[in-house]
Amino acid sequence: MSWKIKQQLQNILEQEDGYSVFPAGFRTRFALCYPNQYNVGMSNLGFHIIYEQINSRMDSAAERFFMPEPDLKKQYENSNTPLLSLESQKPLYEFPLIGFAVSFELDYFNILSMLSLGKVELLASKRDENDPIVVAGGPCATFNPEPLSLFVDVFIIGEGEEIINNFLDTYMLARGKNLSRRDVLLKLAELPGIYVPCFYTHTYDDSGKLAAIMPNAEVPTKIRRQWIKDLDKYPAHTIIKSNQTEFSFYLIETARGCGRHCRFCMAGYCFRKPRNRSLEKIKQMVDAVPDRQKIGLMGPAVSDHPQIDELCQYIHDSNHPMSVASFRADSVTQTLVNNLADSGQKTLTLAPEAGSVKLRNIINKGISDENLYTSIDMGIQAGVKNFRLYIMVGLPEEDDSDIEAIISMAHNLRKYMNDHKAHGKLTLSINPFVPKPFTPFQWLPMADMKKISAVLKYIKNTLKKEKNMEILIESPKESYLQGILARGDRKISQMIYEAHLEGGGKKLQRVMKKHDLNEDFYLYRQRDIDELMPWDTLDMGVKKEYFIQELEMAKQQKNTITCFDNCKRCGVC
């Protein structure tokens, strides 16, 4: 085992504050894994929340693992050292429980890399009584676990604060009775919000479509998403402080879920209903932040919090700079923008998603050009010089006029900035649209990649001569790979496995061709409304009829109003 690797991990620990290390033998060790590098994982608030939940118990101890950076990965491989935990530098394979927090589809391949480095059997079906139980939670596990079903024993469906404790209670009890691995998994499968894929058989028809999902007689037919009804019971903030994160903020969650009904947004459905933390509870978290530490407010749209101005004032009076994960152009306030500017934020980010009114109506975005100009006015008044726009291409019903609308919007906003002496940079961050599970667009095909690549090139070439304008484009290849993984079935799980054996994610499409598995089947096929989906074992609480109704509303370019008290439309409440 490499002393040099251990020393590097210990050096990281020395720069942290707030981690926990427990004596060996008294607690069941839980390997908490983030399938990306340290700086990304430690910027994920959900990772901190679950770490604290596991360590707040008297019978369990979480230790962290991350995907090593390339140089460190080579050291692991060259020295034949198994992947080691940060806290105690123990090998991954020694942990009886291994849990992955999965936020992004492109990290799926890192899961297999980490298991391989950790000397853990990759295939759940081949693990024996002495092997760890591998668990996955987070957004990707919640909306479509099937592409990971070959490798993960247990999926946590929904928000984890309560379910992780139910999971651990049941696991400890089952292990205390010396039950077999299968019987432990069966006990876990009986819990609300726990999906154990080995107890569900998927069959396909001659066309390759999913024909049936057959559960074992001992497990539920549907797994209902779990969510926290009262956020105030579970404070959500940075637990381990580190300067080696993406933004070096102390994170505080203000709200969860979103009721805006944007039709492209999986998070808006999988984490519904919208819930705000009370101002008093947020203030208590602010009071615990070290002096002058910058606070990052987290939430689906921080500006939607009903007491956002009071919160901003409180943070300001507490002498903390601040930032926000996101805000909406139709709810942002001057107080919020002033506090961001006073905190040194040099760029305001807005998300119109589309340039045309038509497409904004189709996706139910609810942002008008007037909202954009008003937000820019607020920024200019506060002294902000730079603005960023999030845009998608390949949206449903998009045509050439909608692409021209993006270009016109960029020109007009740039001119408006110049006219108001805001001579900073206008950045357009443009991404191909991916129809996600559990949205009204889940049945729709993606736009053709060649066409989208041409559109992106056209936008960039048209705007490149514009002074102080920057165009950032997500790789179409990565977006379409994301589309396969997000909408994939169990056959894709086998392809991920073989791609890993051949070198990683870049080999996926080659492996699919080798098996005559057409990527068009996953990307470009219009799915029938009554087609069985790979994720249909899961229940987000939203009625299928509601998704169908919203799809029809999109076709008619009709808006859906936001969530309101005593609403019964979608089924969640």
Side-chain angles (χ1 to χ4, degrees):
M1 195 169 291
S2 170
W3 172 88
K4 187 177 179 183
I5 293 174
K6 283 191 171 187
Q7 188 62 52
Q8 289 183 62
L9 297 174
Q10 290 167 1
N11 289 342
I12 293 172
L13 274 184
E14 289 174 2
Q15 298 176 54
E16 292 185 340
D17 182 31
Y19 65 87
S20 301
V21 177
F22 300 98
F26 293 97
R27 295 169 177 247
T28 296
R29 286 186 296 172
F30 191 114
L32 185 60
C33 305
Y34 195 89
N36 208 307
Q37 295 176 3
Y38 174 90
N39 64 319
V40 179
M42 289 303 295
S43 302
N44 184 283
L45 184 56
F47 194 70
H48 288 257
I49 291 170
I50 296 302
Y51 183 84
E52 182 183 38
Q53 285 296 318
I54 296 169
N55 286 334
S56 65
R57 299 169 58 95
M58 299 303 294
D59 58 359
S60 57
E63 298 192 26
R64 290 166 292 152
F65 291 78
F66 301 94
M67 182 67 194
E69 295 181 6
D71 288 346
L72 183 57
K73 184 172 182 284
K74 284 183 182 178
Q75 291 182 49
Y76 273 115
E77 292 168 341
N78 293 339
S79 64
N80 200 31
T81 300
L83 191 64
L84 302 177
S85 72
L86 203 52
E87 278 77 3
S88 67
Q89 296 88 57
K90 297 294 184 186
L92 183 61
Y93 67 82
E94 290 187 3
F95 286 72
L97 293 169
I98 298 174
F100 285 92
V102 192
S103 300
F104 304 104
E105 293 90 349
L106 296 182
D107 286 342
Y108 291 179
F109 299 96
N110 289 339
I111 294 174
L112 274 69
S113 294
M114 291 177 71
L115 291 174
S116 294
L117 284 171
K119 315 297 185 187
V120 177
E121 170 58 53
L122 290 180
L123 296 175
S125 61
K126 290 188 176 181
R127 295 182 192 131
D128 62 25
E129 297 298 324
N130 298 315
D131 284 320
I133 287 178
V134 177
V135 187
C140 290
T142 292
F143 72 73
N144 183 16
E146 298 309 331
L148 293 173
S149 59
L150 283 181
F151 327 112
V152 175
D153 296 297
V154 177
F155 290 93
I156 290 177
I157 308 301
E159 297 168 9
E161 288 93 335
E162 291 174 353
I163 196 170
I164 189 63
N165 287 290
N166 296 336
F167 170 91
L168 288 169
D169 287 344
T170 301
Y171 173 81
M172 302 297 182
L173 188 61
R175 276 304 193 199
K177 294 180 178 180
N178 291 317
L179 296 183
S180 68
R181 180 184 183 87
R182 183 188 185 280
D183 287 342
V184 171
L185 292 175
L186 196 56
K187 287 291 184 186
L188 293 170
E190 295 171 359
L191 292 173
I194 295 290
Y195 174 50
V196 182
C198 69
F199 296 128
Y200 298 79
T201 301
H202 288 215
T203 60
Y204 300 86
D205 64 20
D206 292 341
S207 71
K209 294 179 183 177
L210 186 60
I213 300 174
M214 295 173 287
N216 181 302
E218 300 165 288
V219 299
T221 303
K222 286 272 190 179
I223 291 84
R224 190 168 179 84
R225 169 189 67 111
Q226 302 298 291
W227 54 284
I228 305 302
K229 309 302 186 289
D230 182 2
L231 288 184
D232 280 352
K233 290 182 179 179
Y234 297 94
H237 56 85
T238 291
I239 300 300
I240 301 166
K241 292 173 278 297
S242 168
N243 291 325
Q244 304 302 314
T245 61
E246 289 285 277
F247 306 108
S248 297
F249 297 159
Y250 188 102
L251 303 176
I252 292 176
E253 186 184 57
T254 62
R256 192 175 295 181
C258 182
R260 291 288 194 154
H261 298 245
C262 296
R263 296 180 180 122
F264 62 88
C265 181
M266 179 273 298
Y269 293 92
C270 289
F271 298 99
R272 190 173 294 179
K273 75 174 195 179
R275 293 145 285 157
N276 293 305
R277 295 185 188 277
S278 69
L279 182 60
E280 283 308 308
K281 291 294 183 181
I282 302 174
K283 284 181 177 180
Q284 289 174 19
M285 291 189 278
V286 170
D287 291 341
V289 180
D291 288 345
R292 296 299 302 164
Q293 171 75 50
K294 191 168 190 176
I295 293 173
L297 297 180
M298 306 294 292
V302 172
S303 55
D304 279 356
H305 194 284
Q307 294 167 292
I308 186 60
D309 282 353
E310 294 96 318
L311 175 56
C312 289
Q313 190 61 50
Y314 188 80
I315 292 172
H316 179 270
D317 293 344
S318 301
N319 294 316
H320 290 293
M322 61 173 283
S323 182
V324 298
S326 65
F327 63 77
R328 282 188 54 107
D330 57 350
S331 64
V332 66
T333 68
Q334 189 67 58
T335 299
L336 172 57
V337 174
N338 289 347
N339 276 272
L340 293 174
D342 289 345
S343 299
Q345 188 153 327
K346 301 186 183 306
T347 302
L348 288 186
T349 300
L350 308 169
E353 311 293 359
S356 67
V357 173
K358 180 193 89 178
L359 287 186
R360 288 184 208 159
N361 287 339
I362 286 173
I363 65 176
N364 202 51
K365 183 62 186 180
I367 298 291
S368 68
D369 285 350
E370 183 180 356
N371 296 142
L372 298 177
Y373 288 114
T374 300
S375 298
I376 289 175
D377 281 336
M378 289 181 183
I380 293 170
Q381 186 174 325
V384 176
K385 303 294 185 185
N386 306 301
F387 298 88
R388 179 189 293 253
L389 303 177
Y390 282 131
I391 305 291
M392 290 186 289
V393 293
L395 287 164
E397 305 296 328
E398 182 181 83
D399 58 31
D400 291 347
S401 67
D402 299 305
I403 303 306
E404 295 300 331
I406 294 172
I407 293 167
S408 296
M409 176 178 66
H411 278 307
N412 293 338
L413 290 176
R414 178 70 266 175
K415 183 178 184 302
Y416 190 82
M417 290 169 62
N418 291 339
D419 290 347
H420 291 76
K421 302 190 184 331
H423 299 302
K425 187 180 291 184
L426 177 64
T427 301
L428 272 65
S429 180
I430 310 177
N431 305 304
F433 165 64
V434 179
K436 291 292 183 78
F438 294 110
T439 70
F441 296 149
Q442 64 182 338
W443 294 284
L444 301 186
M446 287 187 73
D448 180 76
M449 187 170 79
K450 289 183 180 178
K451 179 182 177 182
I452 290 303
S453 297
V455 163
L456 291 169
K457 183 178 180 181
Y458 172 71
I459 294 173
K460 192 162 190 174
N461 288 341
T462 304
L463 294 175
K464 67 181 179 182
K465 294 180 181 178
E466 188 84 43
K467 189 177 180 182
N468 290 332
M469 188 178 292
E470 179 183 35
I471 312 299
L472 302 177
I473 290 174
E474 182 177 303
S475 162
K477 286 186 177 180
E478 288 193 357
S479 294
Y480 283 76
L481 177 57
Q482 181 192 141
I484 293 171
L485 298 175
R487 295 148 63 82
D489 51 21
R490 289 193 175 183
K491 289 180 285 185
I492 292 299
S493 194
Q494 179 66 31
M495 300 303 103
I496 292 172
Y497 175 65
E498 294 187 27
H500 166 76
L501 296 180
E502 292 194 17
K506 292 181 180 179
K507 306 293 185 181
L508 180 67
Q509 285 157 307
R510 193 179 85 175
V511 169
M512 289 176 67
K513 286 180 182 177
K514 186 170 70 175
H515 286 271
D516 293 323
L517 201 58
N518 191 341
E519 64 183 50
D520 293 5
F521 180 84
Y522 297 95
L523 293 174
Y524 303 134
R525 182 172 60 87
Q526 173 79 41
R527 304 190 186 195
D528 297 330
I529 291 294
D530 59 356
E531 181 176 333
L532 187 64
M533 299 292 204
W535 48 88
D536 275 351
T537 312
L538 311 180
D539 178 7
M540 295 299 117
V542 180
K543 296 177 291 189
K544 181 178 179 180
E545 294 77 17
Y546 182 76
F547 287 126
I548 296 170
Q549 175 187 321
E550 281 296 295
L551 180 59
E552 188 58 35
M553 294 277 280
K555 291 176 181 177
Q556 298 176 29
Q557 300 180 32
K558 291 184 178 179
N559 292 321
T560 296
I561 62 172
T562 60
C563 291
F564 55 90
D565 289 341
N566 301 314
C567 169
K568 305 295 182 186
R569 290 173 294 172
C570 75
V572 167
C573 296

